Amino acid sequence: MRRALRTGLAVSLLAGCIVPGEGSLARFEFTESHMGTPCRVVFYAAGPGEAERARRAAFAELAAVDERMSDYREDSEISRLSRRSGVGPVPVSEPLFEVLSAARKFSELSGGAFDVTVGPLVELWRKARREGRLPPPEAVREALERTGWTKLVLDPAARTVCLERAGMKLDVGGIAKGYACDRALAALARLGIRRAMVDTGGGMALGDPPPDRTGWRIQVADQSSKVLVLARRGVATSGDWERYVEIDGVRYSHIVDPATGVGLTNRILVTVVAPDGMSADALSTALSVLGPERGLRLAEDLPGVEAWMRWRENGAIRTAQTSGFAALLEP
Ligand code: AMP
Ligand code: MG
């Protein structure tokens, strides 16, 4: 995750409406930069005072996750943990343990396609992007030795994390935004604001729907006319359409295949709907790596999960989706 810009820009749109049992509710929308990306919070509240408290609570959660889990920050808890790789179990905070536990679960489910130990590889590909040059194969081989989710050992009783090899580096960029959405949505719910959604760009968490609606209207993916109508779920979009490097006519994504150490080249775009934001986020990254066949099979197997994909195959653009996806779309 990149450093927060903290512009603190706030916009509020008032559109009062009476909801039986909930009184008069107005729609509020705020945008702030966190985790290196514009983050949007939309909710329905009784008035500006309540909305302001809610705004502060929601963005405070996003800021806290960024501060703890950004690998761009030298002093974040996750950076400090990575620096202690190879030295044995290290006690960590509850939020970090929660994210790393979920990450391990998605590593297992995806057969290692999702892997938060890809830090050394991501570093290589960030450098490739800066220099416009492929990483040397021996550098990829060396980074692969410091990568692997089975080298991430968690002890729930002691709440410790052990990175078994020296030089390992954690990167929760594929899961933490979804987690941050869930945390912000929960903070709003604690204030009694349940008709809410949090969008951290790619990852979203949706609470109860706007008044008079069955769900929040969410665009499936870039340039798609498909609109999802969702409530009380997470949704996330991943792919190589945004951050990538092109070298010798090949586009390498910021998502790395942990099996090869190479950035994805299949021009895949994935939207995942899941029971919560963190699961949607992790799965959208996992499915990008797994590709259409294995990815959609995994999504079909998981309860409450649906997915849509677009990718390039032999020069043609193809799309596919899980069997329950169409039912979530606006008619
Ligand atoms: P997302 O946009 O959610 O797909 O996350 C992409 C980010 O996840 C990248 O920028 C990396 O920080 C990280 N990442 C890259 N490859 C992987 C992978 N195979 N598994 C987990 N995280 C990854
Ligand atoms: Mg993700």
Side-chain angles (χ1 to χ4, degrees):
M1 283 186 293
R2 256 162 287 163
R3 211 176 187 89
L5 296 173
R6 298 193 190 290
T7 52
L9 174 75
V11 187
S12 103
L13 299 173
L14 281 166
C17 52
I18 309 288
V19 185
E22 293 178 75
S24 172
L25 290 181
R27 181 184 190 276
F28 292 86
E29 175 168 346
F30 300 95
T31 304
E32 267 186 37
S33 189
H34 292 278
M35 302 181 281
T37 191
C39 298
R40 202 163 58 96
V41 175
V42 185
F43 56 79
Y44 288 79
E50 189 184 33
E52 177 52 24
R53 275 192 300 281
R55 179 192 72 81
R56 259 188 263 141
F59 286 125
E61 291 291 339
L62 301 185
V65 172
D66 188 28
E67 210 168 296
R68 211 185 274 289
M69 303 194 197
S70 169
D71 61 291
Y72 283 87
R73 295 169 184 262
E74 285 278 305
D75 60 338
S76 67
E77 186 183 8
I78 206 162
S79 292
R80 281 184 276 124
L81 176 61
S82 292
R83 282 199 295 276
R84 294 184 67 187
S85 58
V87 304
V90 176
V92 300
S93 67
E94 224 168 85
L96 185 55
F97 196 85
E98 191 182 344
V99 169
L100 294 179
S101 302
R104 253 200 77 108
K105 180 184 90 181
F106 287 110
S107 290
E108 252 168 86
L109 282 173
S110 66
F114 184 83
D115 187 342
V116 292
T117 70
V118 290
L121 294 165
V122 169
E123 220 164 49
L124 277 185
W125 287 92
R126 274 183 198 154
K127 188 157 171 258
R129 200 158 56 153
R130 279 197 307 272
E131 298 175 351
R133 205 170 35 196
L134 286 181
E138 61 276 15
V140 173
R141 260 198 309 278
E142 189 278 328
L144 275 170
E145 280 170 22
R146 293 184 282 125
T147 303
W149 64 276
T150 56
K151 302 184 190 99
L152 166 66
V153 179
L154 305 178
D155 180 345
R159 212 212 288 147
T160 58
V161 175
C162 177
L163 300 171
E164 289 189 319
R165 289 266 320 235
M168 286 176 72
K169 188 175 181 236
L170 294 172
D171 177 343
V172 290
I175 186 169
K177 282 183 184 152
Y179 173 73
C181 290
D182 291 338
R183 294 283 297 217
L185 196 66
L188 292 172
R190 284 197 295 275
L191 293 173
I193 295 177
R194 293 176 188 282
R195 298 187 183 278
M197 69 100 94
V198 182
D199 177 2
T200 55
M204 290 184 210
L206 312 169
D208 287 353
D212 304 328
R213 294 253 203 88
T214 57
W216 296 87
R217 297 181 75 248
I218 310 292
Q219 191 110 354
V220 169
D222 213 31
Q223 296 166 340
S224 164
S225 56
K226 289 184 168 63
V227 174
L228 289 159
V229 181
L230 301 170
R232 294 174 288 276
R233 310 226 197 179
V235 54
T237 293
S238 280
D240 66 356
W241 44 286
E242 202 185 32
R243 281 180 286 155
Y244 59 86
V245 54
E246 188 163 325
I247 300 166
D248 296 333
V250 181
R251 236 163 89 161
Y252 299 91
S253 165
H254 66 293
I255 300 173
V256 176
D257 184 346
T260 61
V262 177
L264 303 185
T265 56
N266 53 352
R267 299 265 191 120
I268 201 162
L269 187 60
V270 181
T271 291
V272 173
V273 178
D276 56 84
M278 177 161 70
S279 303
D281 190 0
L283 284 169
S284 68
T285 309
L287 265 59
S288 299
V289 175
L290 288 171
E293 206 173 303
R294 286 187 300 159
L296 289 175
R297 206 182 318 136
L298 173 60
E300 289 284 2
D301 283 350
L302 297 175
V305 174
E306 302 295 342
W308 172 94
M309 279 190 189
R310 189 186 76 195
W311 72 100
R312 208 150 84 155
E313 197 174 298
N314 305 322
I317 301 290
R318 297 192 51 190
T319 63
Q321 61 196 45
T322 52
S323 51
F325 190 84
L328 304 176
L329 291 172
E330 194 171 56

